[in-house]
């Protein structure tokens, strides 16, 4: 089938591309020899243990108990970490938080510079102007304002540590919900053992704990790509056309909500469309895609009207202040691809959105020409991708330094901390093991028909391409880390499917002090 051939080509190209990315990541590892050796040894240990436990069956009841225990432990640890790492409210998260506070107090945002601007560090524009420049954060503003309307009605002040901690608890709830949903997706794709393994991997993933205190869109959108995958798989297994239609509508709606909170969620939708066309293209498939798109476009259009006419933010200067999409592409084409104040000042200096767009395109062309050749540009791109994908803490170091309390956790996460080497090695080895399993999943995809695992791989490939040409930071990958776990589990499944020769098994058994398996003698005439 043509889909099989395209799947082989895709997985082959993805493997080749990711091999280059992986080499660049290794080149930037601070403790490369130690991290690489530990990663190989731990991966070998995981494979060995998994082979021994392959015969164990996990019932639904046992999986339910395991889920409750692991989520309970994660909740306790995150609650403690969230309090110990209670953040100072700066930059974007701080601006949204203090804006919600002002809205609840005065009913709208001020056009004047306030003390909150000094606290957040954003001193070049008022809080109202911030949301005109960055309307993508208005949905997050609505979410936080609505949530804290409930919190403050219970008598908890937003200016207190308890008020900030309520945001942490919201974030923890979302993270745990995504872990539960991820285990359900793993179960649907690979069975109960994979679901249990997904829970264990998530529990061992330190970035969830250190980001629990930052209730920003990086973590608050964790469930949306997963929910999209789960709904899509339900559509494919559902027989009733009416139920398929409802599921398709839910798929488009949930994707739009995720997209409004974090634009990168659109990658999940594109991956689903590509996968559905490749694997089950028909008139019914087209109808389901059309319905999902209609819901997505309808909600997005409705939100656009609400955002422009909401009573909290004065959008009258939209044409003068709002940044065009070209800005984020242009900004990503230098340095490490992240935020640069001089690039912001450059775009901000032009009078209208049209002028900003033209200026950004001119500067983008200058940057690309500055690399001199295709080789120079590709070297820059791979370095930028490695900087993003190789940062195993999935958090900006500056954010990890903006904590209100001085606790033992700071000794791990701060670069000058007493135990930072332990933290660095743990997170680096974790992600290196995961990336090595990516290759096994890609190899499996080259030699098997495209199933659910192919969808996960298409999604990860899409994320890689998206942030190759958009402003990028490692924390921007957080809402797709569930896909990383699913891909890693598929890779482990592929490794376990490889048959070990009998003589190798016998050697391993002897090394472990056991008896090698007996084989019947064979005689030749």
């Amino acid at each position: 089938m043509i889909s099989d051939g395209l799947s082989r080509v895709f997985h082959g190209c993805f493997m080749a591309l990711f091999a280059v990315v992986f080499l660049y990541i290794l080149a930037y590892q601070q403790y490369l020899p130690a991290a690489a050796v530990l990663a190989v040894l731990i991966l070998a240990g995981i494979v060995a243990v998994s082979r021994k436990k392959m015969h164990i069956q996990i019932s639904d009841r046992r999986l339910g108990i395991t889920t409750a225990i692991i989520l309970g432990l994660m909740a306790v640890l995150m609650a403690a970490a969230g309090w110990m790492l209670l953040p100072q409210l700066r930059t974007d998260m701080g601006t949204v938080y203090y804006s919600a506070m002002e809205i609840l107090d005065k009913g709208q945002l001020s056009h004047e510079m306030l003390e909150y601007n000094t606290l957040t560090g954003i001193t070049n524009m008022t809080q109202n102007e911030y949301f005109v420049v960055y309307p993508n954060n208005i949905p997050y503003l609505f979410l936080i304002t609505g949530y804290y309307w409930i919190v403050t009605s219970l008598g908890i002040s937003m200016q207190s540590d308890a008020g900030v901690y309520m945001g942490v608890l919201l974030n923890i709830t979302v993270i745990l919900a995504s872990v539960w949903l991820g285990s359900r997706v793993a179960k649907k794709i690979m069975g109960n053992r994979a679901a249990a393994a997904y829970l264990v991997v998530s529990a061992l993933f330190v970035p969830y704990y250190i980001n629990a205190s930052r209730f920003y869109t990086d973590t608050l959108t964790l469930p949306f790509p997963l929910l999209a995958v789960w709904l899509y798989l339900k559509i494919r297994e559902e027989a009733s056309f009416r139920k398929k239609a409802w599921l398709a509508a839910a798929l488009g709606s949930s994707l739009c909500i995720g997209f409004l909170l974090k634009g990168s969620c659109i990658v999940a939708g594109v991956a689903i469309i590509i996968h559905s066309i490749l694997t089950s293209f028909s008139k019914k498939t087209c109808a389901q895609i059309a319905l999902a798109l209609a819901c997505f476009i309808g909600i997005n259009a409705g939100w656009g009207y609400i955002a422009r006419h909401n009573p909290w933010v004065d959008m009258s200067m939209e044409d003068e202040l709002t940044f065009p999409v070209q800005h984020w592409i242009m900004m990503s084409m230098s340095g490490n691809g992240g935020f640069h104040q001089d690039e912001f000042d450059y775009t901000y200096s032009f009078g209208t959105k049209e002028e900003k767009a033209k200026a950004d395109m001119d500067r983008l062309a200058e940057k690309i020409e500055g690399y001199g050749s295709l080789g120079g540009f590709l070297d820059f791109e791979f370095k930028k991708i490695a900087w993003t994908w190789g940062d195993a803490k999935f958090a900006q170091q500056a954010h990890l330094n903006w904590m209100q309390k001085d606790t033992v956790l700071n000794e791990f996460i701060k670069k000058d901390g007493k135990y930072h080497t332990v933290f660095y090695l743990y997170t680096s080895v974790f992600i290196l093991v995961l990336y090595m399993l990516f290759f096994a999943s890609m190899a499996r995809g080259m030699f098997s028909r495209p199933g659910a695992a192919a969808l996960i791989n298409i999604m990860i490939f899409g994320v890689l391409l998206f942030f190759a040409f958009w402003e990028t930071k490692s924390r921007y990958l957080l809402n797709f880390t569930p896909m990383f776990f699913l891909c890693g589990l598929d890779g482990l499944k592929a490794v376990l499917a490889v048959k070990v020769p009998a003589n190798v098994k016998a050697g391993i058994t002897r090394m472990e002090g056991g008896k090698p398996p007996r084989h019947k003698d064979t005689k030749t005439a």
Side-chain angles (χ1 to χ4, degrees), residues 20 61 82 98 106 121 132 134 194 203 225 263 323 364 435:
V20 178
R61 181 176 179 276
Y98 289 124
K106 300 177 181 177
V132 182
Y134 298 127
F323 278 22
L364 174 62
Y435 288 164

Side-chain angles (χ1 to χ4, degrees), residues 221-287:
T221 54
L222 265 166
F224 290 99
L226 277 171
L227 182 58
V229 173
W230 188 84
L231 288 169
Y232 174 66
L233 295 177
K234 286 289 289 183
I235 291 171
R236 290 173 69 91
E237 68 184 27
E238 183 58 60
S240 167
F241 179 78
R242 179 177 292 181
K243 288 183 179 179
K244 282 179 180 286
W246 280 110
L247 289 168
L251 172 60
S253 302
S254 61
L255 270 175
C256 187
I257 295 170
F259 169 73
L260 291 173
L261 287 169
K262 197 78 171 177
S264 60
C265 288
I266 193 67
V267 172
V270 174
I272 286 171
I273 291 173
I274 292 172
H275 186 267
S276 62
I277 291 174
L278 286 177
T279 58
S280 58
F281 185 72
S282 65
K283 289 182 179 179
K284 289 183 178 179
T285 302
C286 290

Side-chain angles (χ1 to χ4, degrees), residues 14 17-18 21 385 389 459-468:
F14 189 14
L17 175 65
F18 201 77
V21 170
I385 294 169
W389 290 66
M459 208 172 287
I460 294 174
F461 180 73
V463 173
L464 192 150
L465 287 185
F466 182 89
F467 287 113

Side-chain angles (χ1 to χ4, degrees), residues 121-195:
I122 298 179
T123 57
N124 57 341
M125 52 185 164
T126 67
Q127 288 180 205
N128 190 89
E129 288 173 340
Y130 170 88
F131 290 101
V132 182
V133 172
Y134 298 127
N136 57 295
N137 261 346
I138 296 180
Y140 175 48
L141 173 66
F142 272 56
L143 172 64
I144 293 299
T145 303
Y147 175 69
Y148 273 98
W149 178 81
I150 299 172
V151 170
T152 54
S153 69
L154 298 175
I156 302 173
S157 171
M158 291 183 70
Q159 293 182 317
S160 65
D161 284 354
V164 177
Y165 192 64
M166 290 300 103
V168 175
L169 292 181
L170 170 66
N171 198 33
I172 291 171
T173 302
V174 172
I175 294 172
L176 292 176
S178 75
V179 173
W180 175 83
L181 183 57
S183 70
R184 301 306 96 180
V185 173
K187 177 183 178 181
K188 189 172 285 293
I189 297 174
M190 292 172 275
N192 283 3
R193 283 187 301 178

